[in-house]
Amino acid sequence: MRYLVLSDIHANIEALDAVLHAAAGRYDRVLVLGDLVGYGADPDAVVARVRTLPDLHVIRGNHDKAAVGLLAPDTFNDLAREAIAWTRRILSDRSRAWLAGLPAGPMTIDDLVEVCHGTPYDEDEYLAGRREARRSFAEAHRPVCLFGHTHVPAAFALDAELHDARAVVTARRRLVFDDGRAYLANCGAVGQPRDGDARAAYGILDTGTRSLALLRADYDLRQAQSRIIAAGLPDALAHRLAIGR
Ligand code: ZN
């Protein structure tokens, strides 16, 4: 089974379509790890596109919750809060109802894989370091737990002791899951990368070869930026796309 792994699309339809084009024919099922909306200018288009994807498994992110009133955006920074207020105003009833019905992670996918937005123990927590990784390993139900939320590709492996494998993964672009070890892996953000690489990030996990490819796709960045500015969203949200921060 080959899974297309998408997280943090953030209403960036140009990035999502570029990823779907690049990955066409290379996957059987689709995993979406939350934050379909927020920041970008096309929340309805992203929701509609995701809903067309085959054999879809999707969980909610914090921006999805905030956009439909399930989470008060008090903890969001000014830019994120402004984008959520805008998203709430323009989101169609149809998209709102669908987003409101999305399940919380973690979600078990098969014998090998589970997915969450932030961590397996708290959907809104950032899995950024060894402390959260240790706790996530303790709470995970499958050998491979895919996560998002930080917008930065990263991976952790649990062995006799915990190793932070972040640098290895970003350099190698491919992670092979050894039998008997557990892993946490983040493929990065489709719609708002924050690792200094402006290209859309995604992954393809193959359960046959027990491997995860960490991939990037070029997309029409200028179009996504113009849409953000034309929508009246903060200019900073357009500018950050170009630097991948
Ligand atoms: Zn996000």
Side-chain angles (χ1 to χ4, degrees):
M1 189 65 72
R2 298 164 304 168
Y3 296 112
L4 175 63
V5 185
L6 307 175
S7 191
D8 299 280
I9 303 166
H10 284 297
N12 186 339
I13 191 66
E14 287 80 13
L16 175 59
D17 280 346
V19 165
L20 294 175
H21 181 75
R26 297 167 60 199
Y27 61 89
D28 311 296
R29 304 172 94 180
V30 181
L31 310 178
V32 178
L33 279 52
D35 279 4
L36 287 81
V37 304
Y39 296 130
D42 290 289
D44 283 325
V46 163
V47 168
R49 188 79 82 253
V50 166
R51 294 182 67 175
T52 67
L53 297 175
D55 212 338
L56 174 67
H57 299 260
V58 50
I59 55 172
R60 67 190 188 182
N62 51 320
H63 287 254
D64 305 320
K65 286 195 290 182
V68 301
L70 290 172
L71 177 73
D74 305 345
T75 57
F76 286 25
N77 64 37
D78 291 349
L79 279 178
R81 220 173 28 242
E82 211 173 313
I84 282 300
W86 179 90
T87 303
R88 281 186 180 185
R89 282 199 302 277
I90 69 112
L91 203 60
S92 71
D93 291 344
R94 187 178 157 83
S95 299
R96 186 178 294 109
W98 186 77
L99 287 169
L102 291 180
M107 176 188 279
T108 298
I109 304 298
D110 61 18
D111 289 347
L112 181 68
V113 182
E114 72 178 304
V115 298
C116 62
H117 183 63
T119 71
Y121 58 88
D122 180 346
E123 60 181 342
D124 298 335
E125 171 90 313
Y126 290 89
L127 206 173
R130 292 175 58 167
R131 189 175 59 82
E132 300 90 0
R134 283 196 197 94
R135 187 158 171 209
S136 294
F137 280 123
E139 308 262 348
H141 300 95
R142 288 295 181 267
V144 175
C145 177
L146 301 173
F147 67 99
H149 197 34
T150 65
H151 299 207
V152 176
F156 300 87
L158 183 69
D159 216 338
E161 69 182 280
L162 182 66
H163 301 287
D164 181 346
R166 179 189 298 244
V168 175
V169 168
T170 49
R172 271 201 311 200
R173 318 302 314 170
R174 187 165 183 267
L175 185 62
V176 177
F177 303 123
D178 295 336
D179 252 333
R181 277 192 191 180
Y183 296 86
L184 306 164
N186 185 336
C187 299
V190 171
Q192 196 196 73
R194 292 182 193 159
D195 61 341
D197 183 340
R199 296 173 300 165
Y202 66 105
I204 295 180
L205 191 157
D206 187 330
T207 59
T209 57
R210 294 177 66 95
S211 65
L212 174 66
L214 298 162
L215 302 162
R216 303 304 277 247
D218 284 309
Y219 74 97
D220 192 345
L221 186 78
R222 284 173 197 280
Q223 173 70 10
Q225 291 180 307
S226 332
R227 300 269 307 134
I228 286 172
I229 289 162
L233 283 158
D235 287 3
L237 292 174
H239 297 148
R240 71 187 298 180
L241 289 180
I243 53 171
R245 294 288 176 200

